[in-house]
Amino acid sequence: MKAAEINRVSEWLAGIVREEALPQKLFIVHQFRFDMIENREQIALRPELATVIQMDGQGPLGTKYETFGALTGAPDADRYAWGWKNFYDEDEPTLTAQQTMAVDPTPWWVSYQ
């Protein structure tokens, strides 16, 4: 997906938030490979939206940590809040809540599937 497409969606959602005088909304973008988002550094950050890049990888913990480290270590990574997804059946093993919050950088959003 290209950043321009993500920006069109985020502008649409931000417009609804502005027009309806709603509180800030969570805007989650999933990524577990660099090639999933083209020009990620061009994703517009809008005050109406809390933009989170959700690292959605699965599998052995070493691989998951490596992927998270690579994505959060990219030059543009400090622009975003980061999310982490734990899979009950696919992760080997599934992290506990304490282990998840010990990930660096600490995830701003955590989901379980």
Side-chain angles (χ1 to χ4, degrees), residues 22-38:
L22 299 171
Q24 187 181 56
K25 300 299 171 203
L26 183 60
F27 184 65
I28 299 176
V29 179
H30 292 276
Q31 183 180 29
F32 57 89
R33 292 188 326 259
F34 280 108
D35 65 354
M36 292 179 73
I37 302 174
E38 187 176 317

Side-chain angles (χ1 to χ4, degrees), residues 27-66:
F27 184 65
I28 299 176
V29 179
H30 292 276
Q31 183 180 29
F32 57 89
R33 292 188 326 259
F34 280 108
D35 65 354
M36 292 179 73
I37 302 174
E38 187 176 317
N39 300 317
R40 184 178 79 180
E41 70 282 356
Q42 295 176 14
I43 293 175
L45 301 178
R46 306 185 191 286
E48 300 86 358
L49 307 176
T51 300
V52 173
I53 304 292
Q54 169 106 10
M55 199 286 296
D56 195 4
Q58 62 189 39
L61 284 179
T63 302
K64 195 165 184 158
Y65 288 138
E66 187 176 300

